[in-house]
Amino acid sequence: EAQVTQNPRYLITVTGKKLTVTCSQNMNHEYMSWYRQDPGLGLRQIYYSMNVEVTDKGDVPEGYKVSRKEKRNFPLILESPSPNQTSLYFCASSSHSAQGAYEQYFGPGTRLTVT
Amino acid sequence: AQKITQTQPGMFVQEKEAVTLDCTYDTSDPSYGLFWYKQPSSGEMIFLIYQGSYDQQNATEGRYSLNFQKARKSANLVISASQLGDSAMYFCAMRGTNFGNEKLTFGTGTRLTIIP
């Protein structure tokens, strides 16, 4: 079954304690991306990756890091989480498209609370 | 820059009625794609329908159709014969032609509640 998996699904942590949210896809997609969802703001892109070892900032990258060492995995790292990073996080993947025709597959989401 | 506007924060609709969720967009890209996603209370993002900017016909997927009016820059989602399971948050999104970043720009969403 084609899918994007994220772990953990729920996480409560304290300010400053480093954490990693994992993301994995089994569709051999080149493109992967992280979004955060906040009430009233929709989803906003944090980072994206066009392929292995190729990553770039999205609209709200501050306080986050990513890496793409393997095609299937795209972890999101919070080196020193702060309460304003409390949010619902989504990982997504897709094939590259010439005209935008390809659906982005979303993971189930990770609900993060930073106290 | 791209922008998606959803002006209906919430809607209440009687079961079995049709419902239209509004979406307007703004972009300078000559070619783009428009998407609708459904987010139930469980939180996952479910892809519903896609419309390409050069597609001649409006997209349809089962009970979902996209009313695409390019000159007015609108891409409204129409759900026919609504069901209780349609109660969810609905997001309109757009992707431009920046090859490389497949970023979706999302609207703020419309919360649809179907009344029995």
Side-chain angles (χ1 to χ4, degrees), chain A:
Chain A
E1 179 192 356
Q3 61 180 357
V4 179
T5 56
Q6 293 179 230
N7 282 292
R9 294 289 313 278
Y10 303 90
L11 179 61
I12 301 174
T13 189
V14 296
T15 300
K17 185 177 181 181
K18 181 179 178 180
L19 67 93
T20 299
V21 184
T22 64
C23 173
S24 183
Q25 51 94 4
N26 63 1
M27 295 166 279
N28 202 37
H29 285 162
E30 300 89 3
Y31 178 84
M32 298 184 75
S33 180
W34 277 102
Y35 295 86
R36 61 176 288 174
Q37 181 183 3
D38 302 291
L41 295 177
L43 281 76
R44 296 176 292 166
Q45 189 187 55
I46 303 171
Y47 268 95
Y48 69 96
S49 170
M50 292 169 55
N51 216 321
V52 176
E53 303 291 1
V54 182
T55 64
D56 206 349
K57 297 177 181 178
D59 296 322
V60 288
E62 294 76 22
Y64 304 95
K65 286 175 57 178
V66 293
S67 69
R68 187 92 181 271
K69 293 183 170 54
E70 303 166 286
K71 198 171 186 180
R72 63 183 292 127
N73 295 325
F74 190 44
L76 180 69
I77 303 155
L78 284 72
E79 294 270 2
S80 182
S82 62
N84 65 11
Q85 292 178 297
T86 292
S87 189
L88 177 60
Y89 291 86
F90 287 99
C91 181
S93 75
S94 70
S95 293
H96 283 309
S97 63
Q99 204 245 341
Y102 290 99
E103 170 191 347
Q104 280 201 15
Y105 292 79
F106 281 82
T110 294
R111 190 168 293 280
L112 172 65
T113 301
V114 183
T115 61

Side-chain angles (χ1 to χ4, degrees), chain B residues 8 15 25 34-35 44 51 64 83-84 86 90 98 109:
Chain B
Q8 306 154 310
E15 189 180 6
Y25 61 91
L34 295 155
F35 300 77
E44 71 268 29
Q51 177 84 42
Y64 303 108
Q83 303 170 355
L84 295 178
D86 294 333
Y90 289 80
N98 177 14

